[in-house]
Amino acid sequence: MNSPNGKIAEIPLPEAEQKGLAASPGGFKIFNRIVDLITNDRMQLINVTERINEIVRKSGVRDGIVHLQSLHTTTAVFINEWQDALLHDVRSFLDDLVNREEYYRHNDPAHSDCERKNADSHLRGMVMGQTLCLQVRNSVVLLGTWQSIILAEFDGPRSRSMSIQVSGI
Amino acid sequence: MNSPNGKIAEIPLPEAEQKGLAASPGGFKIFNRIVDLITNDRMQLINVTERINEIVRKSGVRDGIVHLQSLHTTTAVFINEWQDALLHDVRSFLDDLVNREEYYRHNDPAHSDCERKNADSHLRGMVMGQTLCLQVRNSVVLLGTWQSIILAEFDGPRSRSMSIQVSGI
Amino acid sequence: MNSPNGKIAEIPLPEAEQKGLAASPGGFKIFNRIVDLITNDRMQLINVTERINEIVRKSGVRDGIVHLQSLHTTTAVFINEWQDALLHDVRSFLDDLVNREEYYRHNDPAHSDCERKNADSHLRGMVMGQTLCLQVRNSVVLLGTWQSIILAEFDGPRSRSMSIQVSGI
């Protein structure tokens, strides 16, 4: 959770265990997992890098692709440096990019039956994107020194799911 | 087309049929299709979810990846909820994000031979992105309950093409 | 480099040669390369299309996917038309989207040990994204007539690396 001073604590991510492995006779394989999370704030950034690396290790894929997809329109997945000061700037920037206080039809009972008043969350999720594709090299997600994988909650607190697919040889 | 009250009618998508299947001896296969569309408005949002699912079903791929690419810089492909009120907000937001009335060199005959005056369309396409990669699970595109695949026209009316590649086992 | 009139000269890209090929018995193969670049300006746009096509040709992959990832948070990879006037508009737009002069905690020694004062570069890289996935068809990257692959430097001059993975059959 985001404490007032911008710290983000690790959140336990109970993984929905699945039989996730499909393989072709030729050695190409696909490994699927769902990661479930509970978020604590309306806007929250969560570092999922280690979690993704655990899944890649379990997959048995040495070289290939890992595809991440958050299954919710009011979330996003992207890359940035994981530094408290910068994460504070990221939240401020996204707050400014989409002004929550403006008029939106999605928040207006005359036009919409959505009671969450979350048009801003939808627009943030749309701009940042809910999918991310990364290379797997030597059984590890390829990332630069300062790159972390960040899941963004834009309409929490909620229960959320990400689908992870590792494919390759 | 977008009617004045924000409704978006289904557009017939005549598909350019192609021999699209390539397969390796080991069971990994790739299936390619081009989807052609005619758009009706300068900015228009089109729900292509069902169309993509049809192609995935035809591909014979059970587990893998579907990659979508719009072949035009002044378009985009992304995910959001398909709700009339929200689609109206999306168009307003993208209109505000890139102000069409500002000065752009791309629209200035002194600097550019482009006669479409579509710098704003290029910038919207660039921010939103022209590619999207999604998981295929059990012969269906994996999407959350509220996630639809949206093709955005930013410089219509035009004839447009998307290339769809389904790969996996 | 960007000359005052907006021209962008080709930059020599010494490639870090690697043994990059992994193959499964079934014909599916993966080819990896690192492309190294030296950038010359704080914000700079570089057309890497031809470079990516060279790597795809070398890979021996006829049909599949090419995945590009810049290994730095203060860069991005995306698609747009490669036209001088438009590239000038792209730089102006990104300058306006994230105002460098605003207060950012990441630039404040009271909150951050980063001495580059590059919060704006991080935010631009985050919005535009550091990865791009494109289709390979007949040993060529699939791109529309006006689509070029652009690497954006947001905190140069620097030495930068992109990882390219070509996979398929």
Side-chain angles (χ1 to χ4, degrees):
Chain A
M1 83 206 72
N2 305 339
S3 72
N5 62 3
K7 287 237 175 188
I8 292 177
E10 199 63 24
I11 289 167
L13 310 180
E15 184 180 332
E17 289 294 324
Q18 300 190 333
K19 300 216 177 288
L21 190 63
S24 82
F28 177 83
K29 52 178 170 275
I30 297 183
F31 184 84
N32 297 309
R33 275 286 184 280
I34 300 285
V35 170
D36 293 318
L37 307 92
I38 307 288
T39 61
N40 301 290
D41 287 311
R42 189 167 194 270
M43 192 190 298
Q44 184 178 352
L45 305 174
I46 300 164
N47 189 343
V48 295
T49 313
E50 275 319 300
R51 190 71 188 204
I52 303 304
N53 261 322
E54 267 176 47
I55 292 172
V56 166
R57 271 191 301 270
K58 277 187 203 166
S59 74
V61 170
R62 199 187 66 243
D63 280 287
I65 284 285
V66 55
H67 183 276
L68 291 72
Q69 183 179 352
S70 168
L71 298 173
H72 314 272
T73 49
T74 54
T75 61
V77 187
F78 51 83
I79 287 174
N80 213 336
E81 184 180 343
W82 190 256
Q83 185 222 35
D84 277 357
L86 182 63
L87 296 170
H88 181 270
D89 297 330
V90 167
R91 287 192 299 269
S92 299
F93 171 75
L94 293 172
D95 256 341
D96 290 349
L97 185 69
V98 184
N99 181 357
R100 187 181 178 180
E101 304 307 324
E102 249 180 58
Y103 172 82
Y104 297 104
R105 281 202 189 173
H106 183 68
N107 298 349
D108 179 350
H111 291 279
S112 168
D113 59 358
C114 173
E115 294 175 356
R116 296 191 66 91
K117 315 281 182 216
N118 63 355
D120 62 320
S121 319
H122 278 280
L123 295 173
R124 287 187 196 112
M126 181 187 79
V127 167
M128 297 304 300
Q130 286 128 32
T131 63
L132 187 65
C133 210
L134 295 166
Q135 296 170 36
V136 173
R137 305 279 293 271
N138 297 316
S139 308
V140 173
V141 179
L142 181 75
L143 288 170
T145 313
W146 304 104
Q147 291 182 319
S148 287
I149 308 170
I150 298 174
L151 173 71
E153 168 66 83
F154 294 133
D155 189 33
R158 297 282 275 274
S159 168
R160 301 298 201 173
S161 298
M162 280 181 85
S163 182
I164 317 296
Q165 183 190 74
V166 195
S167 65
I169 54 184
Chain B
M1 83 205 71
N2 303 340
S3 70
N5 61 4
K7 286 238 174 188
I8 293 178
E10 199 63 24
I11 288 166
L13 310 179
E15 183 180 331
E17 289 295 325
Q18 299 190 336
K19 298 214 179 290
L21 189 63
S24 82
F28 177 83
K29 53 178 169 276
I30 297 184
F31 183 85
N32 297 309
R33 275 286 183 281
I34 299 286
V35 169
D36 293 319
L37 307 91
I38 307 288
T39 61
N40 302 290
D41 288 310
R42 189 166 193 270
M43 191 190 298
Q44 183 178 353
L45 305 174
I46 300 164
N47 189 342
V48 295
T49 314
E50 275 318 300
R51 191 71 189 203
I52 303 304
N53 261 322
E54 268 176 46
I55 292 172
V56 167
R57 272 192 299 270
K58 276 187 203 166
S59 74
V61 170
R62 200 188 64 244
D63 281 286
I65 284 284
V66 56
H67 183 276
L68 292 72
Q69 184 179 352
S70 167
L71 297 174
H72 314 273
T73 50
T74 54
T75 62
V77 187
F78 51 84
I79 288 175
N80 212 337
E81 183 181 343
W82 190 257
Q83 185 223 35
D84 277 357
L86 183 63
L87 296 170
H88 181 271
D89 297 330
V90 167
R91 288 191 298 269
S92 299
F93 171 76
L94 293 171
D95 256 339
D96 290 349
L97 185 69
V98 184
N99 180 357
R100 187 180 179 181
E101 303 307 324
E102 250 181 57
Y103 171 83
Y104 296 104
R105 281 201 188 173
H106 183 68
N107 297 349
D108 179 350
H111 291 278
S112 168
D113 58 359
C114 173
E115 294 175 357
R116 296 190 66 90
K117 314 280 183 218
N118 62 356
D120 61 320
S121 318
H122 278 280
L123 295 172
R124 287 188 196 111
M126 180 186 80
V127 168
M128 298 305 300
Q130 287 128 31
T131 63
L132 187 64
C133 211
L134 295 165
Q135 296 169 36
V136 173
R137 305 279 293 272
N138 298 316
S139 307
V140 172
V141 180
L142 181 75
L143 288 170
T145 313
W146 303 104
Q147 291 183 320
S148 287
I149 308 170
I150 297 175
L151 173 71
E153 167 65 84
F154 294 132
D155 190 32
R158 297 282 275 275
S159 168
R160 300 298 201 175
S161 298
M162 280 181 84
S163 181
I164 316 297
Q165 183 189 75
V166 194
S167 65
I169 55 183
Chain C
M1 83 206 73
N2 303 342
S3 71
N5 60 4
K7 288 237 174 188
I8 292 178
E10 198 64 24
I11 289 166
L13 310 180
E15 184 180 330
E17 290 295 324
Q18 299 190 334
K19 299 215 180 289
L21 189 63
S24 82
F28 177 83
K29 52 178 171 272
I30 297 183
F31 184 83
N32 297 309
R33 275 287 183 281
I34 299 286
V35 169
D36 293 319
L37 307 93
I38 307 289
T39 61
N40 301 291
D41 288 311
R42 189 165 193 272
M43 191 191 297
Q44 183 178 353
L45 305 174
I46 300 164
N47 188 342
V48 295
T49 313
E50 275 319 300
R51 191 70 188 203
I52 303 304
N53 261 322
E54 268 176 47
I55 292 172
V56 167
R57 272 191 300 269
K58 276 186 203 167
S59 74
V61 170
R62 199 187 66 243
D63 281 286
I65 285 284
V66 55
H67 183 276
L68 291 72
Q69 183 179 352
S70 168
L71 297 173
H72 314 273
T73 50
T74 54
T75 62
V77 186
F78 51 85
I79 288 174
N80 212 337
E81 183 181 342
W82 189 257
Q83 185 223 34
D84 276 358
L86 182 62
L87 296 170
H88 181 271
D89 297 330
V90 167
R91 287 192 298 269
S92 299
F93 171 76
L94 292 171
D95 257 340
D96 290 349
L97 185 69
V98 184
N99 180 358
R100 187 180 179 181
E101 304 307 324
E102 248 180 58
Y103 172 82
Y104 296 105
R105 281 202 189 172
H106 183 67
N107 298 349
D108 179 350
H111 291 278
S112 168
D113 58 359
C114 174
E115 294 175 357
R116 296 190 66 90
K117 313 281 182 218
N118 63 356
D120 61 320
S121 319
H122 279 279
L123 295 173
R124 286 187 196 111
M126 181 187 78
V127 168
M128 298 305 300
Q130 286 128 31
T131 63
L132 187 64
C133 211
L134 294 165
Q135 296 170 35
V136 173
R137 305 279 292 271
N138 298 317
S139 307
V140 173
V141 179
L142 181 75
L143 288 170
T145 313
W146 304 105
Q147 292 182 319
S148 287
I149 308 171
I150 298 175
L151 173 72
E153 167 67 83
F154 294 132
D155 190 33
R158 296 283 274 275
S159 168
R160 300 298 201 175
S161 297
M162 280 181 84
S163 181
I164 317 296
Q165 183 190 74
V166 195
S167 64
I169 54 184

